Amino acid sequence: MIELLRKLLPYCFILFFIVKGNKQPLYFLGIPFLMYMSNSIFFDGVQIFSQPFNLNYALILIWLTVFWIVARFTRPDYSKTNIEYTPKFNNLDFSIICLIILSIAGLLFSIIQYKVPDVVEEFVQLVSLFAGYFIIKNWISRNEPELVTSFLYSLIVINTVACILFLLHQGAGIHIYLEKESIEQYFEGEEITRSFWFLPPFLFFSITFLFIFRRNYPKTYRPLLVLNLLTVFITYTRSYLIIIVIIFLLYFLLTGLKERKAVLFFKNILIYGMLGIFGIIVIAKIMPAKAKYFLDRFNELSTPSTNQDPNNLQFR
């Protein structure tokens, strides 16, 4: 059953984006995102998007460009720019162009001065990020904000499906993924595993999106948000939890400044702080060993780490 899931799940996602893309070409953009999610949704087993093998370091950019061109030909009027939604050249664009120039200078310097092997592949990987930014910006700018929001929500749902798989594997101990975990250790008689090879990649984005657009999806945002937050907990990663707290604080602060109500800021902190404490208590009741393990990881900050500690970077 699990083997069948590994084989069929990525193709179900591909089919979804192709069907939606025939009506709204923006959804073709979802397939390069599936490629990026890779192991978390078993997409590494889809052979057609592993071609050409000799350009593995630039595959996402290649397919992103292919689907961008397909989107233009799918709808004849798609190439016509909608002025209302097309952003102008901004400071971020200028900064990325400067980074591209610096990357080119770094490539030439490395080739001439040090003759570093494989430096061209690393350069292509880096520039792919910058080039991908401009392609995605151009693609999204030709669509209404409502459609873009709907497309992003579909990515959130898929990321949450990956969260469920991750929770079953790392939380419940059901072997969903075949990859070996980075860390395996026993804590209070229970096996604790940690791995990032198949971790859903859009956790922070999903949590931020669901929190901001919760009024758009009143029936689904709560379970989706809880699953993404629970996945953050199951990573047992201190920095992840701290980032989530910062995201919430920034949102409350900006909301308070927008409404010009300092009381709103403290009210939100109080409400969601209590909800967070309640969530931790519930997790501690359901998964006591895992909860204590994560809390003990914070205690490690006050004690020196040895080279044989499983969470020590040198040991890894």
Side-chain angles (χ1 to χ4, degrees), residues 166 169-171 173-185 191-198:
F166 186 82
H169 182 95
Q170 191 152 296
I174 301 173
H175 293 286
I176 303 293
Y177 299 99
L178 299 176
E179 290 84 355
K180 185 74 173 177
E181 286 84 359
S182 302
I183 298 175
E184 295 180 3
Q185 64 181 115
E191 185 181 27
I192 303 292
T193 61
R194 296 184 64 199
S195 181
F196 298 93
W197 292 111
F198 38 81

Side-chain angles (χ1 to χ4, degrees), residues 159-170:
N159 190 76
T160 306
V161 172
C163 287
I164 295 172
L165 298 174
F166 186 82
L167 289 169
L168 290 173
H169 182 95
Q170 191 152 296

Side-chain angles (χ1 to χ4, degrees), residues 59-227:
L59 274 179
I60 294 181
L61 178 62
I62 292 171
W63 283 103
L64 176 64
T65 306
V66 168
F67 283 111
W68 178 55
I69 295 172
V70 169
R72 284 177 166 267
F73 283 97
T74 302
R75 274 175 41 189
D77 60 335
Y78 190 73
S79 59
K80 297 179 181 178
T81 302
N82 189 333
I83 299 176
E84 182 181 355
Y85 299 112
T86 303
K88 298 180 180 179
F89 189 82
N90 54 40
N91 292 333
L92 179 59
D93 300 337
F94 177 75
S95 300
I96 290 179
I97 289 175
C98 290
L99 288 174
I100 293 175
I101 295 172
L102 287 174
S103 300
I104 294 173
L107 171 68
L108 296 175
F109 180 78
S110 298
I111 292 175
I112 296 173
Q113 189 74 14
Y114 297 106
K115 299 180 180 179
V116 180
D118 301 327
V119 69
V120 175
E121 291 186 10
E122 294 180 11
F123 169 77
V124 172
Q125 290 178 352
L126 184 62
V127 172
S128 293
L129 296 174
F130 304 141
Y133 163 78
F134 286 108
I135 293 175
I136 293 174
K137 178 186 175 183
N138 177 272
W139 201 339
I140 288 179
S141 67
R142 299 171 184 274
N143 296 272
E144 293 79 4
E146 293 78 12
L147 177 59
V148 175
T149 302
S150 178
F151 165 72
L152 293 176
Y153 179 72
S154 66
L155 293 179
I156 302 303
V157 172
I158 292 174
N159 190 76
T160 306
V161 172
C163 287
I164 295 172
L165 298 174
F166 186 82
L167 289 169
L168 290 173
H169 182 95
Q170 191 152 296
I174 301 173
H175 293 286
I176 303 293
Y177 299 99
L178 299 176
E179 290 84 355
K180 185 74 173 177
E181 286 84 359
S182 302
I183 298 175
E184 295 180 3
Q185 64 181 115
Y186 282 88
F187 183 84
E188 295 191 349
E190 186 171 336
E191 185 181 27
I192 303 292
T193 61
R194 296 184 64 199
S195 181
F196 298 93
W197 292 111
F198 38 81
L199 178 69
F202 301 127
L203 286 174
F204 302 129
F205 171 72
S206 297
I207 292 168
T208 305
F209 179 94
L210 290 168
F211 206 67
I212 293 174
F213 292 97
R214 61 187 184 278
R215 294 179 181 176
N216 295 42
Y217 308 97
K219 295 182 179 180
T220 57
Y221 93 88
R222 288 186 182 87
L224 295 178
L225 183 62
V226 169
L227 286 168

